[in-house]
Amino acid sequence: MQLEQQKPQLSFWQIWNMCFGFLGVQFGFALQNGNVSRIFQTLGANVDDIPILWVAAPLTGLIVQPIVGYWSDKTWGKLGRRRPFFLWGAILTTLSLFIMPNSPTLWIAAGMLWIMDASINVTMEPFRALVGDNLNEKQRSTGYAMQSFFIGIGAVVASALPWIMTNWFDISNTAAAGEIPESVKYAFYWGGAILFLAVMWTILKTKEYSPEQLAEFDKATRQTTQTNAKRSLNFMAMVIVMGGLGTAVLGLVVGLKLEKELYLLAALLLAFALVSLSAQALQRKQLTNNGFYHVVYDLFTMPKTMKQLAVVQFFSWFALFAMWIYTTAAVTSYHYGTLDVTSKAYNDGADWVGVLFAAYNGFAAIAAMVIPILVKRLGLKTSHAFNLALGAVALISFKFISDPALLWLPMIGVGFAWASILSLPYAMLSNALPSNKMGVFMGIFNFFIVIPQLLAASVLGLILRYGFDNQPIYALLVGGVSFLLAAVAALRVQTKV
């Protein structure tokens, strides 16, 4: 790693400027996570339809992030390597935030979620790679912790924006049936403007190393990567396994007339089989000098640490997705006693969920400063497991807290889990990745964020319908159990620290 240390140490303010744009990115995510279910319900969606409507968000990330990562690895122009993607993603995301709350129908809102999430992913994915590009091994954990801090701060304000609009500026949080409240609309307008300005700050204040400089820093790593890429792989085993499972699921859904959500699960399995089959065909014809093959090849040849972290990410993000899509329905139905989207009780409860989401992001900002101390005492994987266990206790406790005013207490645990998820897996992973392919591997790592979200969209509604009498509060309990499984898996990750 001697060459890696040729990268100079960056100052605190250089790292600050490099990560500041993440504050804006989180405005987009927080407004999406805290309000899209509310928009869907207002436009006529039933509670058990919400997961399938949300499928656009993770599916878009599954497709967009590895493509953007691969392209950004190979991009160099006037704005550098990653910054062109920051710019265009920020422009598209801002426009999407302006349009989303004005959707006239449910299906237009679902389509806008797809566009908005794609735009956010174009902006966000290169930020992770930028830390690997610009920081040496010793400073990378600091960079990811700084990103977590800005995510927490940005999400605090963004999640609370509808509440702020109502309680500070006297903007109505209710509207006629089928119409989005003005408080939500103004929150999205302000969020779009802040996102654009924050990302522009990073674009203007951050420099990037040229490909030639990075090649000098990472010459030894680059040689290892090229040597590994010559090895042939057998993709057919995955074709047989995934194709067989996908066909079986599809046959059961059609034959037994099961719920439509399971078509998504079958489609995912069959799509992965098709991708593997295509890679096998390209390899057989020696047509391997293309982005598609390189991404699939890298997926199959991930470093061991990345494979172990994939399991942790799977259960962590299944839990998060359950929380994001069901907290509004859970709190309004269980703690406020209504699902009537036109009632004051429902909208008060939905606003309180926005405050709760702001709270966990605020605690995450605090946790971002505490976690490095935990790491020094416990190590990376034990600290991450501990934080995930806090998240598990927090989500399960929603069932046992009857007073909604006390629901801020579990947000402490959720905040620590969230800050940990945003930093420690990347700290464990970064030193295991070849630096010249940082973007594409970070994009592939996103698969293990997206796949559990797609699975949640496929099965969570069914779990609630058949296991818990369609009561949304139990989705949070399922999420708590998933956090516990993630904590156990984190203890099995092999790391240097």
Side-chain angles (χ1 to χ4, degrees):
M1 297 303 297
Q2 188 174 3
L3 287 172
E4 173 69 21
Q5 296 307 312
Q6 292 179 8
K7 288 183 182 177
Q9 295 279 112
L10 297 189
S11 69
F12 172 85
W13 290 112
Q14 286 175 309
I15 298 175
W16 173 283
N17 291 334
M18 182 175 65
C19 297
F20 187 75
F22 238 111
L23 181 146
V25 172
Q26 192 56 35
F27 262 79
F29 268 124
L31 286 167
Q32 173 181 292
N33 293 338
N35 296 280
V36 166
S37 289
R38 178 182 187 175
I39 291 172
F40 285 163
Q41 285 184 277
T42 300
L43 294 175
N46 295 320
V47 172
D48 55 355
D49 289 331
I50 290 176
I52 201 68
L53 291 169
W54 264 90
V55 73
L59 184 60
T60 302
L62 184 69
I63 298 169
V64 170
Q65 287 219 18
I67 294 174
V68 170
Y70 178 80
W71 283 348
S72 67
D73 280 342
K74 300 183 179 300
T75 294
W76 185 255
K78 292 181 179 180
L79 278 180
R81 192 183 196 190
R82 315 294 181 186
R83 287 178 294 166
F85 296 89
F86 297 166
L87 176 61
W88 289 109
I91 292 172
L92 292 172
T93 304
T94 299
L95 293 175
S96 299
L97 286 168
F98 288 167
I99 296 170
M100 179 70 177
N102 293 294
S103 300
T105 66
L106 177 61
W107 292 108
I108 290 178
M112 281 309 306
L113 175 60
W114 194 296
I115 295 170
M116 183 166 63
D117 202 80
S119 304
I120 294 173
N121 275 286
V122 170
T123 307
M124 184 191 71
E125 198 285 332
F127 266 101
R128 297 291 190 193
L130 184 66
V131 171
D133 291 344
N134 282 10
L135 298 181
N136 59 42
E137 184 176 331
K138 292 181 179 180
Q139 287 194 304
R140 283 175 182 166
S141 59
T142 302
Y144 291 124
M146 184 75 77
Q147 286 185 351
S148 296
F149 174 78
F150 279 124
I151 288 171
I153 295 298
V156 166
V157 181
S159 296
L161 272 179
W163 184 91
I164 290 172
M165 294 298 161
T166 299
N167 292 275
W168 292 5
F169 299 102
D170 200 27
I171 297 173
S172 176
N173 73 339
T174 60
E179 295 185 9
I180 310 302
E182 290 295 310
S183 61
V184 175
K185 290 183 179 181
Y186 278 96
F188 272 69
Y189 300 156
W190 277 101
I194 293 170
L195 181 147
F196 183 78
L197 293 173
V199 174
M200 285 302 299
W201 181 271
T202 289
I203 292 173
L204 295 174
K205 293 290 186 178
T206 300
K207 296 181 179 180
E208 297 184 71
Y209 294 117
S210 68
E212 292 76 20
Q213 289 173 306
L214 288 172
E216 287 299 315
F217 292 144
D218 304 318
K219 189 177 295 181
T221 303
R222 190 178 186 84
Q223 182 178 359
T224 301
T225 302
Q226 290 177 340
T227 302
N228 289 343
K230 296 178 181 179
R231 181 165 57 93
S232 295
L233 297 178
N234 178 16
F235 297 98
M236 288 307 298
M238 192 61 67
V239 174
I240 294 170
V241 172
M242 293 299 175
L245 287 173
T247 302
V249 172
L250 183 61
L252 289 172
V253 174
V254 174
L256 300 178
K257 297 182 179 180
L258 300 177
E259 278 70 11
K260 62 181 181 293
E261 290 90 343
L262 290 176
Y263 280 112
L264 175 61
L265 180 58
L268 287 172
L269 294 168
L270 292 172
F272 194 76
L274 181 60
V275 166
S276 302
L277 183 63
S278 299
Q280 182 71 40
L282 290 172
Q283 182 177 257
R284 187 181 298 115
K285 296 178 182 179
Q286 297 184 344
L287 300 174
T288 58
N289 190 22
N290 57 81
F292 173 83
Y293 181 82
H294 285 306
V295 170
V296 178
Y297 182 93
D298 290 336
L299 173 63
F300 277 76
T301 58
M302 293 183 296
K304 185 176 181 180
T305 298
M306 188 170 174
K307 293 177 182 178
Q308 294 170 333
L309 284 168
V311 179
V312 181
Q313 292 291 83
F314 178 91
F315 289 111
S316 299
W317 285 88
F318 188 95
L320 288 170
F321 202 62
M323 180 185 72
W324 286 336
I325 65 177
Y326 276 109
T327 299
T328 297
V331 170
T332 54
S333 62
Y334 187 76
H335 297 92
Y336 284 80
T338 183
L339 284 175
D340 178 4
V341 297
T342 64
S343 68
K344 186 178 187 302
Y346 175 88
N347 284 284
D348 286 344
D351 283 352
W352 184 233
V353 169
V355 175
L356 294 177
F357 278 23
Y360 88 70
N361 282 287
F363 290 124
I366 297 171
M369 296 181 281
V370 175
I371 284 174
I373 301 173
L374 284 177
V375 170
K376 288 182 180 180
R377 293 178 177 272
L378 303 177
L380 282 169
K381 65 182 182 181
T382 304
S383 297
H384 192 43
F386 174 75
N387 292 325
L388 291 171
L390 289 179
V393 173
L395 289 188
I396 292 171
S397 70
F398 267 73
K399 179 69 172 64
F400 304 98
I401 296 175
S402 58
D403 185 355
L406 297 178
L407 290 178
W408 67 270
L409 289 170
M411 295 299 100
I412 299 173
V414 173
F416 269 78
W418 178 230
S420 193
I421 290 166
L422 292 173
S423 57
L424 295 190
Y426 297 97
M428 287 185 270
L429 178 64
S430 58
N431 294 334
L433 297 181
S435 296
N436 63 302
K437 303 185 78 173
M438 188 71 66
V440 68
F441 270 119
M442 287 294 180
I444 290 171
F445 197 51
N446 184 62
F447 288 176
F448 308 106
I449 295 173
V450 171
I451 290 172
Q453 295 181 55
L454 292 173
L455 182 63
S458 300
V459 304
L460 266 177
L462 299 177
I463 292 173
L464 293 187
R465 192 176 306 142
Y466 293 109
F468 302 103
D469 195 27
N470 216 24
Q471 298 182 52
I473 190 66
Y474 287 98
L476 302 185
L477 270 70
V478 172
V481 172
S482 188
F483 264 146
L484 283 176
L485 294 173
V488 173
L491 295 173
R492 298 174 58 85
V493 177
Q494 295 181 6
T495 64
K496 296 179 181 179
V497 183

